[in-house]
Amino acid sequence: MNAPRGPFDPYALLAALERRRVAYVLIGGLARVIQGTDELTYGLDLTPSLRAENLRRLALALTELKA
């Protein structure tokens, strides 16, 4: 059984990626919201750099987030 999750907080997710210096491109609904659309989104879509060191940092960020 999965542990209950708190409310969706995309800024906390992005902050964790930034703390670990993960290189990524934000795509999807949140990217459109940041650009000014009136949509709602409950997800964070991104494309990370596939370089080995970046994937290592991404893994650390995901561990920190308990993802």
Side-chain angles (χ1 to χ4, degrees), residues 36-59:
T37 187
D38 287 336
E39 299 178 49
L40 292 177
T41 185
Y42 298 100
L44 190 149
D45 303 307
L46 60 87
T47 302
S49 165
L50 297 179
R51 292 181 182 214
E53 179 58 24
N54 193 63
L55 293 177
R56 185 188 71 77
R57 291 191 301 258
L58 175 60

Side-chain angles (χ1 to χ4, degrees), residues 1-65:
M1 181 172 180
N2 291 334
R5 296 180 185 228
F8 175 59
D9 185 356
Y11 299 108
L13 301 172
L14 293 173
L17 296 174
E18 293 298 321
R19 275 193 301 279
R20 295 293 182 170
R21 298 181 38 184
V22 176
Y24 61 91
V25 174
L26 191 62
I27 60 175
L30 185 60
R32 290 190 306 270
V33 168
I34 290 171
Q35 290 295 315
T37 187
D38 287 336
E39 299 178 49
L40 292 177
T41 185
Y42 298 100
L44 190 149
D45 303 307
L46 60 87
T47 302
S49 165
L50 297 179
R51 292 181 182 214
E53 179 58 24
N54 193 63
L55 293 177
R56 185 188 71 77
R57 291 191 301 258
L58 175 60
L60 291 171
L62 292 174
T63 299
E64 175 184 327
L65 293 165

